[in-house]
Amino acid sequence: AVVSTQSTGALFLVVLVTAKKNKKKCDWYDRPGVYIKSYNRASKDKVFSSVEKAKAACEKDEGCGGVGLDKIPFRKNPGEAPLHDHTIYLLPGQNVQLMLQSGRPNQHRFNSYVKGGCKKKKDKKDKKDKKDKKDK
């Protein structure tokens, strides 16, 4: 959040920064035009408004293997007004190699994003230890 106040002609700017602990960063493999699995409306799976939000949720979920994007708009129920421009949902799976080998190519309505290895964000101490090992 950015807050600005003006006092006696001077401009003060306060910026609040929040740090997230144990933030994970995963490798992602983009597979445009590849269909892996459809969104299951009956199971009431969560949908997302963007691929970035879905990837962030997937990184927190050990059972998530990736993100699927169906280019048709998401509607809560058939015939209703669209809630999102696309249907974006999580794909189950844990084996990256199987996820990369699965799917049908040339399905232009779909894009798939497969989650690779994830690492917790390292702090400065970890980087220093790694540098010390490299110097030896």
Side-chain angles (χ1 to χ4, degrees):
V2 176
V3 179
S4 65
T5 59
Q6 200 166 9
S7 174
T8 63
L11 179 66
F12 296 98
L13 185 63
V14 179
V15 178
L16 303 174
V17 179
T18 57
K20 294 182 180 180
K21 290 185 176 182
N22 295 330
K23 185 175 180 180
K24 289 186 177 181
K25 182 64 180 163
C26 299
D27 294 326
W28 286 92
Y29 301 96
D30 295 357
R31 302 191 66 209
V34 174
Y35 165 83
I36 293 178
K37 177 185 177 287
S38 291
Y39 171 71
N40 186 351
R41 185 174 305 281
S43 69
K44 308 258 188 228
D45 290 339
K46 182 173 172 80
V47 294
F48 297 87
S49 59
S50 72
V51 171
E52 291 76 24
K53 288 180 181 180
K55 283 181 177 181
C58 187
E59 288 183 0
K60 295 176 186 174
D61 183 352
E62 295 293 324
C64 179
V67 173
L69 181 143
D70 186 341
K71 294 178 184 173
I72 63 168
F74 174 74
R75 293 170 165 79
K76 189 171 183 175
N77 293 305
E80 290 183 359
L83 297 177
H84 303 297
D85 291 339
H86 303 294
T87 305
I88 302 169
Y89 50 96
L90 302 182
L91 298 170
Q94 294 178 333
N95 187 319
V96 177
Q97 293 303 321
L98 286 178
M99 293 286 289
L100 288 172
Q101 292 171 6
S102 67
R104 292 191 311 241
N106 300 319
Q107 303 294 315
H108 301 288
R109 189 176 118 182
F110 295 91
N111 288 341
S112 299
Y113 307 89
V114 177
K115 180 173 72 171
C118 297
K119 297 177 185 171
K120 286 187 179 180
K121 191 174 183 180
K122 297 189 184 246
D123 60 25
K124 290 180 183 179
K125 182 181 177 220
D126 290 339
K127 288 180 181 177
K128 185 179 180 224
D129 290 344
K130 189 174 182 179
K131 184 180 178 185
D132 289 342
K133 288 179 182 178
K134 187 178 179 182
D135 291 340
K136 290 181 181 180

